[in-house]
């Protein structure tokens, strides 16, 4: 699977690192977010939970359409996945 984090949007809340620690991690004194953009399919559920929990909807997952043009649709897609 593929995912991307919009780092302009990310506020470093670390919800993702808590919910999917194999994919997301906070790093360094500034708590910069590191993540695996090619997470394994077996981690999909964790990643979707993290994406749903992110307070600023910064985590975008591959099969949710054109995330750049339709951020509202992405949120609906994520809530429908659960
Ligand atoms: S939960 Fe969202 S805002 Fe928080 S670190 Fe992860 S991507 Fe950034």
């Amino acid at each position: 699977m593929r995912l991307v984090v919009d780092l302009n949007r990310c506020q470093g809340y670390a919800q993702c690192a808590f919910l999917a620690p194999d994919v997301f991690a906070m790093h360094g004194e500034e708590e910069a977010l590191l993540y695996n953009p090619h997470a394994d399919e077996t981690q999909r559920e964790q990643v979707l939970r993290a994406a749903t929990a992110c307070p600023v909807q910064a985590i975008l997952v591959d099969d949710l359409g054109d995330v750049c043009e339709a951020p509202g649709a992405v949120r609906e897609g994520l809530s429908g996945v659960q």
Side-chain angles (χ1 to χ4, degrees):
M1 66 180 294
R2 286 178 34 194
L3 65 131
V4 69
V5 176
D6 182 345
L7 295 176
N8 291 320
R9 204 182 270 200
C10 172
Q11 299 294 316
Y13 293 118
Q15 296 293 331
C16 54
F18 178 72
L19 289 166
D22 295 335
V23 179
F24 303 95
M26 308 310 288
H27 180 74
E29 285 184 20
E30 294 183 6
E31 300 268 305
L33 177 66
L34 298 178
Y35 68 100
N36 177 4
H38 302 287
D40 194 87
E41 276 300 322
T42 59
Q43 295 168 318
R44 178 173 290 271
E45 195 172 323
Q46 277 188 19
V47 169
L48 291 176
R49 281 207 187 110
T52 302
C54 175
V56 293
Q57 306 290 324
I59 303 169
L60 311 173
V61 182
D62 57 4
D63 59 358
L64 297 174
D66 191 334
V67 293
C68 292
E69 292 183 10
V74 172
R75 275 186 218 110
E76 285 173 25
L78 289 173
S79 59
V81 165
Q82 296 172 359

